[in-house]
Amino acid sequence: MLTHQKRQKQKKKTRKPRRNGKPVKQKHLTPGQWFEKLIDVQARLRASNGCPWDREQTHQSLRTYLIEEAYEVLEALESRNDAKFAEEMGDLLLQIVFHSQIASEEGRFTVAEVIREIHDKMIRRHPHVFGKVQAKDSVEVLRNWEQLKAEERRSSDKKAASKTGAGVPQEVSLLDGVSRALPATLEGFQLTRRASRIGFDWEDIGGVFEKMREETEELKKAVKEQDHLKMEEEVGDLLFSAVNLSRFLMIDPEIALKKANAKFSRRFRAMERLALRNGREFKNLPREQMEVFWDETKKSEGQPGGAPTKP
């Protein structure tokens, strides 16, 4: 049985194609007016005579959709199809409205407060634009940004302590605010980026490559000793070093890995098709023949041949 959101996805796929991949022009309403209409639609769906599926949802049940929609936005961005990009960003926006509607029903906060919070934060965090602070380049902007975030956290901690009667927390870290709910690569990226902004970093990319070489040797040693816990630790250290390398190169590691996953999937499926054209099932081929097909697949993409990186 299809979920409500999956049914909506299928409906989207049956729509008539948009010309040149551009969003279709609609009524001449302002963004604010369209936003109000969207809020009204979601409130109607959650009403007593609304949609049973929407009424059953909670913040917890919607978590998967929030992550899923964010990744679909990235996929649409890569497709260079503006109509798809706009559509998927709308799906992501719906998640914000949905969560806000649930919170509003429980008397906690409204979508207006959500918008006000980010509006005020953007002004507060850009004193070089809306205030009298000077920032000569983006590096200084980011350094000021982190300082402002730290000050906001201290202020928030003091307010929370005064309300509860507890003492003011003694430990305040520059790393506070990096969410543990992030995918591991993004968490590592954020942690090391925070540290690098105050100068805790390698002087150049050569130091990162040396660290990766060092971690590789330590992993080899753990493998030789068959120490499973040590192997797990060293694999983590090696991946963490790779995240640092991506940060040095100003590449998002999560996006880079997603692209690598997609490339491997594309090539593997191509090998399966090659095997079928030769009257064989890929899974029954000897390893040597698999590597031959891998080379052919890479060459067909206009890239130099080579053995696959995974068996």
Side-chain angles (χ1 to χ4, degrees), residues 27 36 40 68 73 98 101 122 156 178 187 191 198 203 206 208 216 229 231 248 254 259 262 285 292:
K27 297 178 183 178
E36 290 285 354
D40 291 343
E68 179 183 301
V73 167
F98 208 149
Q101 178 61 32
M122 294 305 288
S156 178
V178 176
E187 183 185 8
L191 290 171
I198 60 164
E203 291 185 2
V208 189
T216 301
L229 289 178
M231 283 189 282
F248 242 86
E254 191 71 16
K259 286 184 175 180
L285 295 176
V292 169

Side-chain angles (χ1 to χ4, degrees), residues 215-231:
E215 298 297 353
T216 301
E217 291 304 315
E218 290 180 3
L219 176 57
K220 288 179 180 178
K221 181 180 177 183
V223 171
K224 186 176 181 180
E225 296 171 354
Q226 285 298 292
D227 185 334
H228 187 76
L229 289 178
K230 189 64 176 175
M231 283 189 282

Side-chain angles (χ1 to χ4, degrees), residues 2 63-64 71 89 115 123 125 127 209 233 236-237 278 289 307:
L2 294 173
R63 288 179 301 174
T64 300
Y71 278 112
M89 285 199 292
I115 297 170
I123 291 177
R125 296 271 181 90
F209 279 119
E233 179 183 346
D237 289 346
N278 283 272
Q289 185 59 50

